Amino acid sequence: MADYPTISEQVEDVESARTEGHRKMDWAREHMPILTAMQGDFEANQPFEGQRIGMAMHVEAKTAVLVETLAEGGAEVAITGCNPLSTHDDVSAALDEHPNITSYAKREVDDEEYYAAIEAVISHEPTITVDDGMDLVAAIHEDYPELIDSIVGGAEETTTGVHRLRAMDEDGELDYPVFAVNDTPMKRLFDNVHGTGESSLANIAMTTNLSWAGKNVVVAGYGDCGRGVAKKASGQNANVIVTEVEPRRALEAHMEGYDVMPMAEAAEVGDVFLTTTGNKNVVTRDHFEKMDDGVLLANAGHFDVEVNLDDLSDLAVNEREARDGVREYEMDDGRRLNVLAEGRLVNLASPIALGHPVEVMDQSFGVQAACVRELVENGDQYDAGVHEVPDELDREIAEIKLDAEGVEYDDLTDEQAEYMSSWQHGT
Ligand code: NAI
């Protein structure tokens, strides 16, 4: 197997790390009724017997419950992080204790270690991949194409990963089927909107100990994540400014009552800048030159390329850690611009980050687990390429959740179902 060390070989006091990791996982599991219900079913039926699942995800407590759910269903799982700063080592160590799980995830790895850990996961020769950002799929296609024949398929968690996969598919380079978990209603309407909105704002507030009320908050990108951030910032009495490049999204933000303007103008008035575009170089030198003293800069998009830190370093005459997770860049005119979490996903990579609320991840990971089950049961029905998650799987997750919440809802009557599917009924 891999030369790269597991987390258990890397942490100092592995027993106490595991104890703390299990404590975090227990709390998460108690609030994850969807995965709990699925785990019961998987334990009884062992659907993943004989499967090897390779995963690259944010290794913290909620993800750990997903990993355990798959392992309890009979899979052998090898996992690493999908971001150098988002792993909780104690949770990673707790996972690594499970006889069916090997975890290589460790916080604060450098680039070389990050990719070595991905290779370590691949050395388990996965039959299924579960990614957040597509790093596993990319590494397998680039460096281990001989494994592709034995891979049933994959599942991708986030917008940027799905975006990359679609680009790969369009180039004819994606050689196995991958489900776009991100795109399901049960994922993006909750995780991207509420999850990113709540956890990004909470992490910025906790990291800085500053208030939202009365601040000009510039939200770059009004997609699912941006909508959530804008709504929740507005709910905390901030004045929200949106920047966009897509005219309908810009119009939507305008009609929601937010100020919409180019970043070049927003740079002059913003107090807090939060990027949610999945794009690069959204905030750059020209913008930094116009910003006020003391502004906060944070990113919630997948990669650390939205705020151009090279430009900022070039402009800075001095840099220092103003607080844990806050790097201050001093300009030659004395203005200080503060970057949170090194420009990485602020809700997952800041020192105190816990990621999304447990409940929304239960939904996203419920869809992930259903996709893995679908690949095992019906994988041969999917050609290579990006696939939408079958709607009935998404509905199944919603039904489990509503049941757990004790929420009842209506059924269509036969007459209504017939009416809704007919074109003959008019005035
Ligand atoms: P989306 O595609 O729904 O929205 C992105 C928006 O940004 C689009 O409306 C697009 O027009 C706009 N945009 C692109 N370039 C821009 C630019 N230069 N200036 C202003 N606007 C621009 O994507 P979604 O789902 O909102 O995801 C955004 C990013 O957040 C992705 O990288 C995704 O992977 C990541 N993400 C992060 C999460 C977290 O926990 N922090 C959770 C879910 C997604």
Side-chain angles (χ1 to χ4, degrees):
M1 217 36 81
D3 292 338
Y4 193 79
T6 64
I7 184 70
S8 304
E9 297 165 273
Q10 297 190 63
V11 286
E12 262 176 30
D13 181 352
V14 71
E15 285 314 319
S16 52
R18 284 176 175 165
T19 304
E20 182 55 17
H22 283 301
R23 203 159 72 103
K24 289 182 179 176
M25 286 166 65
D26 290 345
W27 174 264
R29 193 183 301 102
E30 277 170 36
H31 299 87
M32 299 180 94
I34 300 171
L35 283 186
T36 303
M38 295 177 101
Q39 183 164 330
D41 186 43
F42 294 164
E43 273 171 4
N45 297 310
Q46 296 292 293
F48 309 131
E49 188 81 58
Q51 300 294 333
R52 294 181 301 279
I53 304 179
M55 303 177 73
M57 304 201 91
H58 301 291
V59 179
E60 46 70 69
K62 286 96 67 183
T63 311
V65 177
L66 169 66
V67 176
E68 212 179 50
T69 302
L70 300 173
E72 291 295 326
E76 272 179 48
V77 184
I79 184 164
T80 183
C82 65
N83 183 296
L85 288 183
S86 64
T87 294
H88 288 216
D89 287 352
D90 46 11
V91 172
S92 182
L95 272 181
D96 197 49
E97 194 179 8
H98 191 291
N100 285 12
I101 301 170
T102 310
S103 180
Y104 300 100
K106 187 169 183 313
R107 187 181 158 86
E108 289 192 57
V109 286
D110 60 25
D111 277 5
E112 200 180 318
E113 290 167 313
Y114 178 83
Y115 288 107
I118 286 190
E119 298 219 347
V121 167
I122 295 172
S123 74
H124 291 251
E125 302 190 353
T127 54
I128 291 173
T129 58
V130 179
D131 253 315
D132 186 326
M134 208 203 87
D135 283 347
L136 262 184
V137 173
I140 288 170
H141 280 72
E142 276 164 21
D143 300 323
Y144 301 92
E146 67 279 8
L147 296 180
I148 289 172
D149 272 354
S150 50
I151 295 181
V152 189
E156 168 55 51
E157 172 79 6
T158 197
T159 316
T160 285
V162 170
H163 196 78
R164 291 176 78 194
L165 283 163
R166 290 222 159 92
M168 198 175 171
D169 197 7
E170 272 162 30
D171 284 350
E173 300 289 337
L174 179 59
D175 292 331
Y176 62 83
V178 183
F179 282 125
V181 170
N182 178 75
D183 294 358
T184 64
M186 280 298 283
K187 199 275 182 183
R188 71 185 175 81
L189 298 181
F190 301 89
D191 174 317
N192 300 31
V193 178
H194 297 284
T196 310
E198 287 185 24
S199 63
S200 299
L201 296 190
N203 270 292
I204 294 170
M206 295 290 289
T207 302
T208 61
N209 199 205
L210 298 175
S211 169
W212 291 107
K215 295 263 188 335
N216 287 339
V217 176
V218 179
V219 180
Y222 196 70
D224 289 317
C225 295
R227 268 185 210 108
V229 168
K231 185 183 171 96
K232 314 265 172 184
S234 173
Q236 298 201 55
N237 299 352
N239 171 42
V240 173
I241 296 164
V242 169
T243 72
E244 249 299 343
V245 293
E246 211 287 329
R248 291 154 299 182
R249 297 258 166 107
L251 184 58
E252 189 189 341
H254 170 71
M255 298 288 273
E256 283 294 326
Y258 305 124
D259 291 328
V260 179
M261 62 184 78
M263 183 58 84
E265 284 176 37
E268 294 176 13
V269 293
D271 300 308
V272 183
F273 296 80
L274 184 52
T275 51
T276 66
T277 69
N279 206 340
K280 68 187 289 198
N281 292 336
V282 178
V283 188
T284 58
R285 173 183 292 264
D286 290 349
H287 308 126
F288 299 137
E289 282 172 346
K290 296 176 179 170
M291 287 177 183
D292 280 342
D293 179 33
V295 298
L296 305 179
L297 295 153
N299 166 48
H302 188 76
F303 288 116
D304 58 341
V305 293
E306 305 212 12
V307 179
N308 190 320
L309 295 184
D310 291 337
D311 280 0
L312 196 50
S313 268
D314 280 353
L315 288 172
V317 291
N318 199 15
E319 296 182 25
R320 70 175 184 119
E321 294 304 305
R323 285 171 68 83
D324 274 1
V326 183
R327 189 160 185 81
E328 178 191 276
Y329 294 76
E330 188 182 337
M331 306 291 106
D332 62 358
D333 56 8
R335 289 174 305 124
R336 290 151 305 169
L337 315 188
N338 299 297
V339 174
L340 276 67
E342 302 176 19
R344 298 188 184 275
L345 309 126
V346 69
N347 57 326
L348 282 150
S350 73
I352 52 158
L354 297 172
H356 284 7
V358 179
E359 297 92 329
V360 291
M361 293 320 296
D362 191 29
Q363 297 186 191
S364 304
F365 290 157
V367 181
Q368 286 281 8
C371 285
V372 173
R373 189 189 62 199
E374 175 69 6
L375 285 169
V376 173
E377 288 175 356
N378 300 310
D380 53 358
Q381 292 174 19
Y382 296 92
D383 296 333
V386 179
H387 291 266
E388 285 185 13
V389 176
D391 200 47
E392 65 271 18
L393 299 188
D394 205 47
R395 291 180 68 102
E396 174 191 336
I397 304 306
E399 281 162 9
I400 301 174
K401 175 78 180 197
L402 286 168
D403 190 39
E405 298 269 312
V407 177
E408 293 183 30
Y409 63 109
D410 283 326
D411 283 326
L412 288 175
T413 63
D414 291 345
E415 181 196 35
Q416 287 170 336
E418 196 270 326
Y419 178 77
M420 295 300 282
S421 61
S422 158
W423 57 268
Q424 283 105 340
H425 296 293
T427 47

